[in-house]
Amino acid sequence: QVQLVESGGASVQAGGSLRLSCAVSGYKSGYYCMAWFRQISGEARELVAAISDRGRITYADSVRGRFSISQDNVGNTLYLQMSSLKPEDTGMYSCAADAAGYCVGGYCDVPGSPLCYRGQGTQVTVTS
């Protein structure tokens, strides 16, 4: 069973930085797309950044140039380095493993898909 546990969420001032971590277990690295999503209260979950099984990196337009997604060498930990944070970045950030191998149009786009594994999330609050 794939398990994901996020950490690193905090309250920071606008312009600040945070690094989120996601500890991943129970999966075979290199066969999943790994991604960070965020959900702002009252809005749909948004794909923030993703690394496909082939190493292709995707960012949402709203974070490109400010956020950076990476993995450790063995694929056990997924990171999201966030800089130049804005109040509109506030939300619940969660990591996910998509068995499709790609995240845009993958299983994580299908509500309740058993082939999308998600963590519980970590809260990021950016104050102005």
Side-chain angles (χ1 to χ4, degrees), residues 32-115:
Y32 291 77
C33 179
M34 303 302 299
W36 286 97
F37 289 82
R38 70 182 176 192
Q39 187 158 24
I40 299 169
S41 181
E43 299 184 10
R45 185 183 289 122
E46 172 190 23
L47 177 64
V48 174
I51 302 177
S52 76
D53 59 346
R54 298 185 181 185
R56 180 173 181 176
I57 293 178
T58 303
Y59 293 104
D61 289 342
S62 59
V63 307
R64 188 175 292 111
R66 300 187 297 120
F67 290 13
S68 177
I69 188 171
S70 62
Q71 285 180 286
D72 65 4
N73 289 338
V74 295
N76 289 342
T77 307
L78 182 72
Y79 300 101
L80 183 67
Q81 179 67 48
M82 306 185 293
S83 60
S84 301
L85 283 161
K86 304 175 181 179
E88 52 263 43
D89 293 318
T90 294
M92 181 66 74
Y93 285 70
S94 60
C95 57
D98 193 319
Y102 51 87
C103 288
V104 179
Y107 293 116
C108 289
D109 279 354
V110 180
S113 171
L115 296 177

Side-chain angles (χ1 to χ4, degrees), residues 10-18 85 90 124-128:
S11 180
V12 297
Q13 288 191 328
S17 299
L18 276 178
L85 283 161
T90 294
V124 172
T125 301
V126 184
T127 59
S128 57

